[in-house]
Amino acid sequence: MGSMAAAIDDIADGFTAAQLFGQGTTYTYDDVIFLPGHIDFGAHEVDLSSHLTRTLKLATPIVSSPMDKVTEAEMAITMAMMGGMGFLHYNMTAEEQVQQAKRVKQHVPGFVTRPATLAPQSTIADFESLKATRDVRGVCITEDGQPGSRLLGVVTSRDTDFLNDRLTPLSEVMTRDLDTASESASVEQVLEQLKKSKRKLLPVVSSQGQLVRVATKATFLEEQRAPRRAATSVDSAGRLLLGAAVGTRADDRARVDALRAADAVDAVILDSSQGDSTYQLDMLAYLKKAHPELQVICGNVVTGRQARSLIDGGADALRVGMGSGSICTTQEVCAVGRGQATAVYQVSRMANARGVPTIADGGIQNSGHIVKALSLGASTVMCGSLLAGTTEAPGEYFMVDGVRVKAYRGMGSLEAMAKGSEARYHSDTQNLKIAQGVSGTVRDKGSIRNQIPFLAQAVRQGFQDMGVRSVSGAHAALKQGAVMLEARSSAAQAEGNIHDMHSFNKVRW
Ligand SMILES: NC(=O)C1=CN([C@@H]2O[C@H](COP(=O)(O)OP(=O)(O)OC[C@H]3O[C@@H](n4cnc5c(N)ncnc54)[C@H](O)[C@@H]3O)[C@@H](O)[C@H]2O)C=CC1
Ligand SMILES: O=c1[nH]c(=O)c2[nH+]cn([C@@H]3O[C@H](COP(=O)(O)O)[C@@H](O)[C@H]3O)c2[nH]1
Ligand SMILES: [K+]
């Protein structure tokens, strides 16, 4: 029996990442599966904190993609509140991007970030359509219908429920006798006032009576729902961490200069499908000289060779992925790219050895993909489609075939490029535009305030199954060849999915 046991111990169970990814086949997340390790700790003990760049660290290793249907101020604020971080897209002018960035940096936690406003002459029908497209319960009525102008009243459903004439102006139904808080009051004072007030909503106004922001009971209660929330991502002054994408053209230098002059971003992404270019290296050299404190994320890359070139140039992190995104057609159009699991492993192997973190970008569809990306060497993941269609994503909900959706599109889609060349270059610089992405819709996914904590908990459970206590622990195990995995045949993938059910309801959490 003794020699039999020894023989069984000798059986190699699975492959190391170096073995599996060195075979000539390119793999993505669904192609591979990890073998379980030994559990001697609780899932709640797993530490997901991780480096985004050389100097920036996040409690939740998830960031939102700089895409015009994913990240504007509201997404960036909420991502940072959840321990992650957002990257503003740059399909807008430099002035607009600076304004968005300032909104994030000036955000006061506990308050509604984008208060819904209408004008006094707007109607009950306008209020109804606002409720249908944005999840608002009440609306502030201001002189010109915008935040920042003089506050005149508040309208909630209670004021309109039993009125039949949908064309009644809101000035006739609004509550004019308002409880308001002063702009100079502290967060604690506003909260105290809100608690005492019988109203759900407390507008904060300037000394001239202009609407500055809004406190609601629902927002305060949501934000206090610890322990579901990780530590907020903040800079040294306690403001929310923020990143922004920029390009590699001459104008983009001025764009970064403006963002930094406003002291509004901690990191920039040089946004390109193929980062190993002279354009990117020149931009990197300029930024490292002009803004030495700024963290510069380069990419995208999928090979060790591309990674080395950008690391030699001084990159503070690398964004990994070419053609893996849900809306990407790059591999089909250009025949260039790599399976995302292989790309994450090979780039991270090179980058981590040089102390540079990687961001696994594109193709993240579920919590299992996040576990795989982090275990293959990525320090964080970047999500587009997973975060599109949420309350915090830009744009409004609409109905398609009875399903509530929001628009989502690739930044290389014709629609996004048309918008981008207007805002970025003020003219069309390429006369023949080739789309490398599509434009469409995704389902309403609710708020990321709910989604992110559940994703993080699912990732902790994956790490526990693998016997890994932290992201850095996963990277150490990978380096030692202690992470074992196998490729899944198509039958094994089918087995891993739900099968043989007549019907089922897939509720994720
Ligand atoms: N991750 C991915 O797989 C992909 C992502 N995308 C996204 O689509 C958007 C557009 O991507 P790209 O087309 O790669 O953007 P890009 O701005 O890097 O490239 C657009 C074109 O401009 C050229 N260019 C860049 N800087 C230049 C300079 N200083 N002087 C002259 N020419 C210059 C490039 O060589 C390229 O032909 C980005 O948001 C990107 O993230 C697009 C395709 C694939
Ligand atoms: O080939 C592409 N054409 C595009 O038009 C495009 N737009 C974005 N991206 C990349 O896809 C990532 C988001 O992917 P997911 O939706 O899968 O999270 C993003 O983070 C980008 O890296 C594009 N890739
Ligand atoms: K794709």
Side-chain angles (χ1 to χ4, degrees), residues 90 246-249 269-283 297-310 318-324 328 330-331 334-338 347 361 412 436:
Y90 77 117
V246 299
T248 52
R249 299 189 180 252
I269 280 182
L270 306 188
D271 189 19
S272 174
S273 56
Q274 213 293 45
D276 185 14
S277 68
T278 308
Y279 311 129
Q280 189 150 140
L281 288 166
D282 289 348
M283 180 77 172
I297 302 168
C298 293
N300 280 19
V301 295
V302 291
T303 69
R305 189 184 298 264
Q306 287 175 298
R308 188 172 54 198
S309 148
L310 292 167
L318 294 176
R319 192 175 166 212
V320 184
M322 190 173 191
S324 53
C328 296
T330 294
Q331 294 189 8
C334 301
V336 184
R338 201 170 200 182
V347 172
D361 170 35
Q436 287 191 43

Short mmCIF file of all heavy atoms in Angstrom, two decimals, residues 90 246-249 269-283 297-310 318-324 328 330-331 334-338 347 361 412 436:
data_model
loop_
_atom_site.label_atom_id
_atom_site.label_comp_id
_atom_site.label_asym_id
_atom_site.label_seq_id
_atom_site.Cartn_x
_atom_site.Cartn_y
_atom_site.Cartn_z
N TYR A 90 -12.86 60.06 -23.22
CA TYR A 90 -12.46 61.37 -23.78
C TYR A 90 -13.13 61.65 -25.11
O TYR A 90 -12.62 62.40 -25.93
CB TYR A 90 -10.94 61.51 -23.83
CG TYR A 90 -10.22 60.80 -24.93
CD1 TYR A 90 -9.49 61.50 -25.89
CD2 TYR A 90 -10.23 59.43 -24.99
CE1 TYR A 90 -8.80 60.85 -26.89
CE2 TYR A 90 -9.55 58.76 -25.99
CZ TYR A 90 -8.85 59.48 -26.94
OH TYR A 90 -8.17 58.82 -27.93
N VAL A 246 -6.95 59.62 -22.37
CA VAL A 246 -6.55 60.65 -23.34
C VAL A 246 -5.93 59.93 -24.54
O VAL A 246 -5.63 58.74 -24.46
CB VAL A 246 -5.52 61.65 -22.75
CG1 VAL A 246 -6.10 62.39 -21.55
CG2 VAL A 246 -4.23 60.94 -22.36
N GLY A 247 -5.74 60.66 -25.62
CA GLY A 247 -5.14 60.06 -26.82
C GLY A 247 -3.65 60.36 -26.89
O GLY A 247 -3.03 60.77 -25.89
N THR A 248 -3.09 60.19 -28.08
CA THR A 248 -1.64 60.40 -28.22
C THR A 248 -1.33 61.45 -29.28
O THR A 248 -0.26 61.46 -29.88
CB THR A 248 -0.97 59.07 -28.61
OG1 THR A 248 -1.64 58.51 -29.74
CG2 THR A 248 -1.00 58.07 -27.47
N ARG A 249 -2.29 62.34 -29.54
CA ARG A 249 -2.07 63.39 -30.53
C ARG A 249 -1.61 64.67 -29.83
O ARG A 249 -1.64 64.75 -28.59
CB ARG A 249 -3.35 63.64 -31.33
CG ARG A 249 -3.75 62.37 -32.05
CD ARG A 249 -4.86 62.57 -33.01
NE ARG A 249 -5.16 61.28 -33.64
CZ ARG A 249 -4.88 60.97 -34.89
NH1 ARG A 249 -4.32 61.86 -35.69
NH2 ARG A 249 -5.18 59.79 -35.35
N ILE A 269 -4.99 57.20 -18.74
CA ILE A 269 -4.79 56.04 -19.62
C ILE A 269 -4.50 56.58 -21.01
O ILE A 269 -5.24 57.43 -21.50
CB ILE A 269 -6.09 55.21 -19.66
CG1 ILE A 269 -6.18 54.32 -18.43
CG2 ILE A 269 -6.16 54.38 -20.94
CD1 ILE A 269 -7.41 53.44 -18.40
N LEU A 270 -3.42 56.12 -21.60
CA LEU A 270 -3.19 56.44 -23.01
C LEU A 270 -3.98 55.39 -23.78
O LEU A 270 -3.63 54.20 -23.80
CB LEU A 270 -1.70 56.41 -23.35
CG LEU A 270 -0.82 57.30 -22.45
CD1 LEU A 270 0.61 57.36 -22.98
CD2 LEU A 270 -1.40 58.71 -22.31
N ASP A 271 -5.10 55.84 -24.37
CA ASP A 271 -6.15 54.93 -24.86
C ASP A 271 -5.91 54.54 -26.32
O ASP A 271 -6.09 55.36 -27.22
CB ASP A 271 -7.48 55.65 -24.72
CG ASP A 271 -8.67 54.74 -25.00
OD1 ASP A 271 -8.49 53.51 -24.94
OD2 ASP A 271 -9.76 55.26 -25.26
N SER A 272 -5.49 53.31 -26.52
CA SER A 272 -5.27 52.85 -27.88
C SER A 272 -5.42 51.33 -27.93
O SER A 272 -5.20 50.65 -26.94
CB SER A 272 -3.85 53.23 -28.32
OG SER A 272 -3.57 52.67 -29.58
N SER A 273 -5.79 50.82 -29.09
CA SER A 273 -5.92 49.37 -29.23
C SER A 273 -4.54 48.72 -29.31
O SER A 273 -4.38 47.56 -28.95
CB SER A 273 -6.73 49.04 -30.47
OG SER A 273 -6.13 49.63 -31.60
N GLN A 274 -3.55 49.49 -29.78
CA GLN A 274 -2.19 48.94 -29.94
C GLN A 274 -1.22 49.94 -29.33
O GLN A 274 -0.87 50.94 -29.96
CB GLN A 274 -1.92 48.74 -31.44
CG GLN A 274 -1.02 47.58 -31.81
CD GLN A 274 0.45 47.70 -31.37
OE1 GLN A 274 0.75 48.09 -30.24
NE2 GLN A 274 1.35 47.33 -32.25
N GLY A 275 -0.81 49.71 -28.10
CA GLY A 275 -0.05 50.70 -27.35
C GLY A 275 1.42 50.78 -27.69
O GLY A 275 2.08 51.78 -27.37
N ASP A 276 1.96 49.75 -28.35
CA ASP A 276 3.39 49.75 -28.63
C ASP A 276 3.66 50.56 -29.89
O ASP A 276 3.93 50.02 -30.96
CB ASP A 276 3.90 48.31 -28.77
CG ASP A 276 5.41 48.27 -28.94
OD1 ASP A 276 6.07 49.30 -28.70
OD2 ASP A 276 5.93 47.21 -29.33
N SER A 277 3.56 51.90 -29.76
CA SER A 277 3.77 52.77 -30.91
C SER A 277 4.67 53.93 -30.49
O SER A 277 4.77 54.26 -29.31
CB SER A 277 2.44 53.33 -31.41
OG SER A 277 1.89 54.23 -30.45
N THR A 278 5.29 54.54 -31.49
CA THR A 278 6.11 55.71 -31.23
C THR A 278 5.26 56.84 -30.65
O THR A 278 5.71 57.59 -29.79
CB THR A 278 6.76 56.18 -32.56
OG1 THR A 278 7.39 55.05 -33.12
CG2 THR A 278 7.75 57.28 -32.35
N TYR A 279 3.98 56.92 -31.13
CA TYR A 279 3.08 57.97 -30.61
C TYR A 279 2.94 57.85 -29.10
O TYR A 279 2.99 58.82 -28.36
CB TYR A 279 1.67 57.84 -31.23
CG TYR A 279 1.65 57.71 -32.73
CD1 TYR A 279 0.92 56.68 -33.34
CD2 TYR A 279 2.34 58.61 -33.54
CE1 TYR A 279 0.88 56.57 -34.72
CE2 TYR A 279 2.31 58.49 -34.92
CZ TYR A 279 1.58 57.46 -35.51
OH TYR A 279 1.55 57.34 -36.85
N GLN A 280 2.72 56.61 -28.65
CA GLN A 280 2.49 56.42 -27.22
C GLN A 280 3.78 56.64 -26.42
O GLN A 280 3.76 57.24 -25.35
CB GLN A 280 1.91 55.02 -26.94
CG GLN A 280 1.47 54.90 -25.51
CD GLN A 280 0.29 53.96 -25.25
OE1 GLN A 280 0.31 53.25 -24.29
NE2 GLN A 280 -0.75 53.96 -26.06
N LEU A 281 4.90 56.15 -26.96
CA LEU A 281 6.18 56.34 -26.25
C LEU A 281 6.53 57.82 -26.13
O LEU A 281 7.03 58.27 -25.09
CB LEU A 281 7.29 55.54 -26.95
CG LEU A 281 7.17 54.02 -26.74
CD1 LEU A 281 8.08 53.27 -27.72
CD2 LEU A 281 7.50 53.62 -25.30
N ASP A 282 6.24 58.60 -27.19
CA ASP A 282 6.52 60.04 -27.15
C ASP A 282 5.64 60.74 -26.12
O ASP A 282 6.10 61.60 -25.36
CB ASP A 282 6.28 60.68 -28.53
CG ASP A 282 7.36 60.27 -29.54
OD1 ASP A 282 8.38 59.69 -29.10
OD2 ASP A 282 7.16 60.50 -30.75
N MET A 283 4.35 60.35 -26.10
CA MET A 283 3.40 60.95 -25.14
C MET A 283 3.83 60.61 -23.71
O MET A 283 3.82 61.46 -22.82
CB MET A 283 2.00 60.40 -25.43
CG MET A 283 0.92 60.92 -24.52
SD MET A 283 0.44 62.61 -24.96
CE MET A 283 -0.97 62.84 -23.89
N ILE A 297 -0.91 55.13 -17.43
CA ILE A 297 -1.22 53.74 -17.77
C ILE A 297 -1.14 53.61 -19.29
O ILE A 297 -1.82 54.35 -20.01
CB ILE A 297 -2.62 53.37 -17.25
CG1 ILE A 297 -2.69 53.56 -15.73
CG2 ILE A 297 -2.98 51.93 -17.65
CD1 ILE A 297 -4.07 53.51 -15.14
N CYS A 298 -0.33 52.69 -19.75
CA CYS A 298 -0.14 52.54 -21.19
C CYS A 298 -0.86 51.29 -21.70
O CYS A 298 -1.18 50.39 -20.94
CB CYS A 298 1.34 52.46 -21.52
SG CYS A 298 2.19 54.02 -21.18
N GLY A 299 -1.07 51.23 -22.99
CA GLY A 299 -1.70 50.05 -23.58
C GLY A 299 -2.50 50.43 -24.81
O GLY A 299 -2.42 51.56 -25.25
N ASN A 300 -3.26 49.50 -25.37
CA ASN A 300 -3.34 48.15 -24.83
C ASN A 300 -2.24 47.26 -25.39
O ASN A 300 -1.75 47.50 -26.50
CB ASN A 300 -4.69 47.54 -25.17
CG ASN A 300 -5.78 48.04 -24.22
OD1 ASN A 300 -5.63 49.05 -23.57
ND2 ASN A 300 -6.87 47.33 -24.16
N VAL A 301 -1.87 46.26 -24.63
CA VAL A 301 -0.85 45.32 -25.07
C VAL A 301 -1.34 43.89 -24.81
O VAL A 301 -2.21 43.68 -23.96
CB VAL A 301 0.48 45.54 -24.32
CG1 VAL A 301 1.07 46.89 -24.66
CG2 VAL A 301 0.31 45.42 -22.80
N VAL A 302 -0.78 42.95 -25.56
CA VAL A 302 -1.09 41.53 -25.31
C VAL A 302 0.16 40.66 -25.33
O VAL A 302 0.06 39.45 -25.12
CB VAL A 302 -2.14 40.99 -26.32
CG1 VAL A 302 -3.51 41.61 -26.08
CG2 VAL A 302 -1.71 41.20 -27.76
N THR A 303 1.33 41.25 -25.58
CA THR A 303 2.55 40.44 -25.61
C THR A 303 3.60 41.01 -24.65
O THR A 303 3.60 42.20 -24.32
CB THR A 303 3.20 40.42 -27.02
OG1 THR A 303 3.72 41.72 -27.29
CG2 THR A 303 2.19 40.04 -28.09
N GLY A 304 4.52 40.14 -24.26
CA GLY A 304 5.62 40.54 -23.39
C GLY A 304 6.50 41.58 -24.07
O GLY A 304 7.02 42.49 -23.43
N ARG A 305 6.65 41.47 -25.38
CA ARG A 305 7.52 42.40 -26.11
C ARG A 305 6.95 43.82 -26.08
O ARG A 305 7.66 44.79 -25.81
CB ARG A 305 7.67 41.91 -27.56
CG ARG A 305 8.70 42.67 -28.36
CD ARG A 305 8.70 42.16 -29.79
NE ARG A 305 9.06 40.74 -29.86
CZ ARG A 305 10.29 40.30 -30.12
NH1 ARG A 305 11.26 41.15 -30.34
NH2 ARG A 305 10.53 39.02 -30.17
N GLN A 306 5.63 43.92 -26.35
CA GLN A 306 4.98 45.24 -26.28
C GLN A 306 5.11 45.81 -24.86
O GLN A 306 5.38 46.99 -24.67
CB GLN A 306 3.47 45.12 -26.56
CG GLN A 306 3.04 44.85 -27.98
CD GLN A 306 1.52 44.65 -27.98
OE1 GLN A 306 1.00 43.74 -27.36
NE2 GLN A 306 0.81 45.52 -28.68
N ALA A 307 4.91 44.93 -23.88
CA ALA A 307 4.96 45.35 -22.47
C ALA A 307 6.33 45.91 -22.14
O ALA A 307 6.45 46.98 -21.53
CB ALA A 307 4.62 44.17 -21.57
N ARG A 308 7.37 45.22 -22.58
CA ARG A 308 8.73 45.64 -22.24
C ARG A 308 9.03 47.03 -22.80
O ARG A 308 9.62 47.88 -22.12
CB ARG A 308 9.75 44.63 -22.77
CG ARG A 308 11.16 44.92 -22.27
CD ARG A 308 12.12 43.83 -22.62
NE ARG A 308 12.08 43.56 -24.05
CZ ARG A 308 12.55 42.43 -24.61
NH1 ARG A 308 13.08 41.50 -23.85
NH2 ARG A 308 12.49 42.26 -25.90
N SER A 309 8.57 47.27 -24.02
CA SER A 309 8.84 48.55 -24.65
C SER A 309 8.22 49.69 -23.83
O SER A 309 8.85 50.73 -23.59
CB SER A 309 8.32 48.46 -26.09
OG SER A 309 7.87 49.67 -26.56
N LEU A 310 6.98 49.49 -23.35
CA LEU A 310 6.31 50.55 -22.59
C LEU A 310 6.85 50.66 -21.16
O LEU A 310 6.90 51.75 -20.59
CB LEU A 310 4.80 50.31 -22.60
CG LEU A 310 4.16 50.50 -23.99
CD1 LEU A 310 2.75 49.95 -24.04
CD2 LEU A 310 4.17 51.97 -24.40
N LEU A 318 0.01 48.68 -17.06
CA LEU A 318 -0.30 48.31 -18.44
C LEU A 318 -1.72 47.79 -18.52
O LEU A 318 -2.17 47.04 -17.65
CB LEU A 318 0.66 47.23 -18.95
CG LEU A 318 2.11 47.65 -19.10
CD1 LEU A 318 2.96 46.45 -19.51
CD2 LEU A 318 2.26 48.77 -20.14
N ARG A 319 -2.41 48.18 -19.60
CA ARG A 319 -3.78 47.72 -19.83
C ARG A 319 -3.70 46.62 -20.88
O ARG A 319 -3.11 46.82 -21.96
CB ARG A 319 -4.55 48.93 -20.34
CG ARG A 319 -6.04 48.82 -20.41
CD ARG A 319 -6.59 50.18 -20.82
NE ARG A 319 -7.96 50.11 -21.22
CZ ARG A 319 -8.51 50.90 -22.14
NH1 ARG A 319 -7.76 51.80 -22.77
NH2 ARG A 319 -9.78 50.80 -22.43
N VAL A 320 -4.26 45.46 -20.53
CA VAL A 320 -4.06 44.26 -21.36
C VAL A 320 -5.34 43.83 -22.05
O VAL A 320 -6.38 43.65 -21.38
CB VAL A 320 -3.59 43.08 -20.48
CG1 VAL A 320 -3.28 41.86 -21.34
CG2 VAL A 320 -2.39 43.47 -19.64
N GLY A 321 -5.30 43.64 -23.36
CA GLY A 321 -6.46 43.10 -24.07
C GLY A 321 -6.57 43.69 -25.46
O GLY A 321 -6.52 44.91 -25.62
N MET A 322 -6.69 42.83 -26.45
CA MET A 322 -6.87 43.32 -27.82
C MET A 322 -7.89 42.43 -28.50
O MET A 322 -7.61 41.27 -28.80
CB MET A 322 -5.53 43.29 -28.56
CG MET A 322 -5.59 44.00 -29.89
SD MET A 322 -3.93 44.09 -30.58
CE MET A 322 -4.20 45.23 -31.92
N GLY A 323 -9.08 43.00 -28.67
CA GLY A 323 -10.14 42.25 -29.34
C GLY A 323 -10.99 41.40 -28.42
O GLY A 323 -11.89 40.70 -28.89
N SER A 324 -10.74 41.47 -27.11
CA SER A 324 -11.49 40.61 -26.18
C SER A 324 -12.80 41.23 -25.72
O SER A 324 -13.65 40.53 -25.16
CB SER A 324 -10.62 40.32 -24.96
OG SER A 324 -10.16 41.54 -24.42
N CYS A 328 -16.06 44.45 -29.32
CA CYS A 328 -14.88 44.56 -30.18
C CYS A 328 -14.98 43.70 -31.42
O CYS A 328 -15.31 42.53 -31.32
CB CYS A 328 -13.63 44.04 -29.47
SG CYS A 328 -13.15 44.94 -28.05
N THR A 330 -12.07 43.95 -33.47
CA THR A 330 -10.68 44.10 -33.92
C THR A 330 -10.08 42.81 -34.48
O THR A 330 -9.41 42.84 -35.51
CB THR A 330 -9.81 44.62 -32.75
OG1 THR A 330 -10.28 45.93 -32.45
CG2 THR A 330 -8.36 44.68 -33.12
N GLN A 331 -10.31 41.68 -33.81
CA GLN A 331 -9.69 40.44 -34.27
C GLN A 331 -10.24 40.05 -35.63
O GLN A 331 -9.50 39.54 -36.48
CB GLN A 331 -9.90 39.31 -33.24
CG GLN A 331 -9.17 39.59 -31.93
CD GLN A 331 -9.16 38.41 -30.97
OE1 GLN A 331 -9.58 37.31 -31.30
NE2 GLN A 331 -8.67 38.65 -29.76
N CYS A 334 -8.96 43.19 -38.14
CA CYS A 334 -7.51 43.40 -38.32
C CYS A 334 -6.69 42.13 -38.17
O CYS A 334 -5.48 42.16 -38.44
CB CYS A 334 -7.01 44.42 -37.31
SG CYS A 334 -7.83 46.00 -37.46
N ALA A 335 -7.29 41.03 -37.74
CA ALA A 335 -6.57 39.77 -37.58
C ALA A 335 -5.41 39.87 -36.59
O ALA A 335 -4.43 39.15 -36.70
CB ALA A 335 -6.05 39.27 -38.93
N VAL A 336 -5.54 40.78 -35.64
CA VAL A 336 -4.49 40.93 -34.63
C VAL A 336 -5.14 40.90 -33.26
O VAL A 336 -6.23 41.43 -33.08
CB VAL A 336 -3.73 42.27 -34.83
CG1 VAL A 336 -2.58 42.38 -33.85
CG2 VAL A 336 -3.22 42.38 -36.25
N GLY A 337 -4.48 40.28 -32.30
CA GLY A 337 -5.03 40.20 -30.95
C GLY A 337 -4.53 38.95 -30.26
O GLY A 337 -3.55 38.34 -30.71
N ARG A 338 -5.18 38.56 -29.18
CA ARG A 338 -4.76 37.35 -28.47
C ARG A 338 -5.89 36.91 -27.55
O ARG A 338 -6.66 37.77 -27.08
CB ARG A 338 -3.52 37.67 -27.62
CG ARG A 338 -2.70 36.46 -27.25
CD ARG A 338 -1.37 36.86 -26.64
NE ARG A 338 -0.44 35.74 -26.73
CZ ARG A 338 0.80 35.75 -26.24
NH1 ARG A 338 1.25 36.83 -25.64
NH2 ARG A 338 1.59 34.69 -26.35
N VAL A 347 1.60 38.95 -20.44
CA VAL A 347 1.98 40.34 -20.17
C VAL A 347 2.30 40.52 -18.68
O VAL A 347 3.29 41.16 -18.32
CB VAL A 347 0.86 41.33 -20.60
CG1 VAL A 347 1.18 42.74 -20.14
CG2 VAL A 347 0.66 41.29 -22.11
N ASP A 361 -8.25 43.99 -19.29
CA ASP A 361 -9.30 44.83 -19.89
C ASP A 361 -10.05 44.11 -21.00
O ASP A 361 -9.46 43.72 -22.01
CB ASP A 361 -8.62 46.09 -20.45
CG ASP A 361 -9.55 46.93 -21.29
OD1 ASP A 361 -10.76 46.97 -20.98
OD2 ASP A 361 -9.08 47.54 -22.28
N GLY A 412 -14.55 52.24 -30.88
CA GLY A 412 -14.13 52.18 -32.28
C GLY A 412 -15.32 51.93 -33.20
O GLY A 412 -15.12 51.63 -34.38
N GLN A 436 -14.15 49.27 -35.68
CA GLN A 436 -13.56 48.13 -34.96
C GLN A 436 -14.41 47.79 -33.75
O GLN A 436 -13.94 47.21 -32.77
CB GLN A 436 -12.13 48.45 -34.53
CG GLN A 436 -11.16 48.44 -35.69
CD GLN A 436 -9.72 48.50 -35.24
OE1 GLN A 436 -9.32 47.82 -34.29
NE2 GLN A 436 -8.94 49.31 -35.89
#
